[in-house]
């Protein structure tokens, strides 16, 4: 996906791609956050599930994502900038893309049709606050759409163990291994 296609597909979700968000060097690597659905409630995971059969599925799932994201601190209602995990090049490293939530948005429906999921109404995404302290995710289970948040990422044993493995270089792109080491060293 080229840069223009990426911007257009994120725009359909109501996300404006920003050119600059500051230094992102010490943040948890997007690859590591892929393990977030495995984090238990003891790690601080707060989740909202909406049944796939609910006639208001997307409206409720979008509302729950927004509520959880604001309450946890992914972004403030006045300044709605955050990061989205994407892999722009097929064999390249995953990376954080800086975005701003627009007034009209649909993360769980139209967004899931693009880089934020596997199809309309099937979200699979990870978003991070600009300071790296809050992770907000969407995923699709067998019978529900989930929106969940996780704070204090360095306290999660699941994420730390996976980051240690990524840092060995056995998995992922070399840039992701280096990023995992930087994140762990900064904890």
């Amino acid at each position: 996906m080229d840069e223009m296609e990426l911007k257009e597909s994120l725009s359909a979700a109501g996300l404006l791609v920003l050119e600059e968000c500051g230094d992102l060097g010490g943040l948890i690597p997007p690859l590591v956050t892929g393990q977030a659905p495995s984090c238990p409630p003891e790690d601080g995971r707060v989740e909202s599930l909406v049944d796939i059969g609910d006639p208001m599925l997307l409206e409720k799932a979008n509302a729950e994502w927004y509520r959880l994201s604001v309450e946890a601190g992914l972004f403030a209602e006045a300044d709605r900038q955050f990061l989205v995990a994407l892999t722009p090049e097929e064999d390249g490293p995953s990376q954080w893309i800086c975005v701003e939530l627009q007034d009209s948005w649909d993360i769980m429906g139209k967004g899931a049709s693009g880089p934020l999921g596997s199809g309309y109404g099937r979200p699979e995404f990870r978003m991070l606050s600009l300071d790296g302290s809050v992770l907000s995710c969407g995923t699709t289970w067998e019978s529900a759409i989930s929106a969940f948040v996780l704070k204090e990422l360095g306290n999660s044993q699941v994420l730390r163990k996976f980051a240690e493995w990524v840092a060995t270089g056995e998995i992922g792109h070399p840039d992701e291994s280096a990023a995992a080491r930087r994140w762990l060293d900064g904890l």
Side-chain angles (χ1 to χ4, degrees), residues 25-177:
L27 299 177
I28 187 170
L31 177 64
V32 174
T33 65
Q35 293 299 306
S38 299
C39 292
E42 300 82 58
D43 280 1
R45 178 179 165 174
V46 178
E47 182 173 29
S48 173
L49 295 165
V50 181
D51 186 271
I52 290 204
D54 190 311
M56 300 289 291
L57 173 66
L58 295 179
E59 293 86 348
K60 288 180 180 179
N62 273 319
E64 285 300 292
W65 167 79
Y66 188 85
R67 179 186 66 79
L68 288 171
S69 294
V70 170
E71 286 176 3
L74 177 69
F75 55 83
E77 289 190 67
D79 181 13
R80 302 186 305 182
Q81 294 181 5
F82 54 95
L83 305 168
V84 175
L86 296 173
T87 307
E89 299 172 21
E90 191 171 320
D91 293 329
S94 55
Q95 58 186 295
W96 292 115
I97 305 293
C98 187
V99 298
E100 182 174 37
L101 186 66
Q102 301 300 288
D103 290 335
S104 177
W105 54 270
D106 180 6
I107 301 297
M108 300 294 196
K110 291 178 189 172
S113 293
L116 303 180
S118 59
Y120 189 84
R122 300 289 182 249
E124 297 296 338
F125 61 81
R126 291 161 340 272
M127 301 168 172
L128 189 68
S129 61
L130 295 180
D131 66 1
S133 67
V134 177
L135 182 66
S136 176
C137 303
T139 194
T140 305
W141 300 111
E142 186 175 326
S143 61
I145 288 179
S146 164
F148 65 91
V149 292
L150 185 64
K151 295 167 72 171
E152 300 179 31
L153 307 179
N155 292 340
S156 167
Q157 291 302 308
V158 171
L159 297 180
R160 287 174 70 112
K161 284 181 182 179
F162 190 66
E164 289 284 355
W165 186 38
V166 171
T168 67
E170 293 181 43
I171 182 175
H173 189 276
D175 291 349
E176 293 167 322
S177 298

